[in-house]
Amino acid sequence: FLLCLIYHYCNALTTSSSNSNICMSATNTKAAAPKWYQKEISITAPSRGCHLITKDVMSAMQGELKEVKIGMMNLFIQHTSASLTINENADPDVRRDMEVALNKIVPASWNHDGTFRHTMEGDDDMPGHVKSSLMGPSLNIPIQNGRLALGTWQGVYLNEHRDQGGWGGGHTRRIIITIQGQG
């Protein structure tokens, strides 16, 4: 659309050769094709809770990140009882406190007081689904000059919301990482 607009504007300019030269160079410029990269990673953590996975994500896409000057990284977890978020990466107490807060917001006791009907997969299953919806299955992180544009104290968390069937019980969590941008 923009090139079309420039083209029509340039055709309207007939009085000045300098304007016409500017228009010719603008209409002859081709935008660089965007680059797309995608990988699936599997991550294992020791237990239920909030786990910092920034290094896992970075190491999986290190070469691809270096190829992108400006762009976006999308992370998508393919599960309904785990989630992704960005939060503090320095103090491990933040991750512990996040898990405590999530358990107070959506307590497992709701499986026994009639709040939930979907209770056959364990006390932590339906609360895990709610927590996953609250936190979300995906993140978008800007890329600047081949690096994730996270703040100084920000890191990527994988939040495992289950004891049973979750980490420690056999589930491997799959995350699709997609990078789109220009070099």
Side-chain angles (χ1 to χ4, degrees):
F1 174 77
L2 183 57
L3 287 178
C4 225
L5 183 63
I6 292 170
Y7 175 78
H8 289 292
Y9 174 76
C10 290
N11 282 340
L13 294 176
T14 57
T15 57
S16 167
S17 62
S18 63
N19 284 342
S20 133
N21 288 338
I22 292 169
C23 289
M24 288 303 291
S25 64
T27 57
N28 289 331
T29 302
K30 291 184 180 179
K35 298 177 182 189
W36 286 87
Y37 304 99
Q38 190 172 76
K39 285 186 183 176
E40 178 180 314
I41 63 171
S42 296
I43 298 181
T44 302
S47 63
R48 175 173 150 169
C50 302
H51 304 278
L52 194 58
I53 63 164
T54 312
K55 288 181 183 177
D56 299 279
V57 170
M58 296 287 292
S59 67
M61 301 302 280
Q62 195 62 38
E64 292 83 353
L65 272 171
K66 289 179 183 177
E67 297 294 319
V68 177
K69 184 173 182 176
I70 183 170
M72 190 68 66
M73 176 186 281
N74 175 269
L75 304 171
F76 178 78
I77 190 163
Q78 297 180 305
H79 301 278
T80 60
S81 57
S83 61
L84 300 170
T85 194
I86 294 175
N87 217 304
E88 164 136 5
N89 65 5
D91 185 352
D93 285 342
V94 173
R95 295 189 294 278
R96 180 222 163 259
D97 292 348
M98 290 288 287
E99 173 67 10
V100 169
L102 287 168
N103 291 334
K104 288 184 182 268
I105 293 168
V106 187
S109 63
W110 285 357
N111 273 337
H112 303 287
D113 68 7
T115 302
F116 293 142
R117 293 183 183 174
H118 177 77
T119 61
M120 294 186 62
E121 294 180 48
D123 282 345
D124 60 355
D125 185 53
M126 190 59 213
H129 293 313
V130 174
K131 292 171 189 177
S132 177
S133 289
L134 290 172
M135 301 296 280
S138 66
L139 299 172
N140 287 311
I141 305 170
I143 299 169
Q144 291 179 323
N145 297 317
R147 299 180 60 164
L148 294 180
L150 291 167
T152 302
W153 305 111
Q154 289 182 317
V156 177
Y157 286 19
L158 189 152
N159 309 299
E160 174 57 61
H161 302 303
R162 298 214 54 200
D163 287 319
Q164 304 168 8
W167 287 344
H171 281 335
T172 298
R173 299 306 189 180
R174 292 180 318 277
I175 300 171
I176 303 295
I177 305 172
T178 304
I179 292 177
Q180 188 271 323
Q182 293 184 329

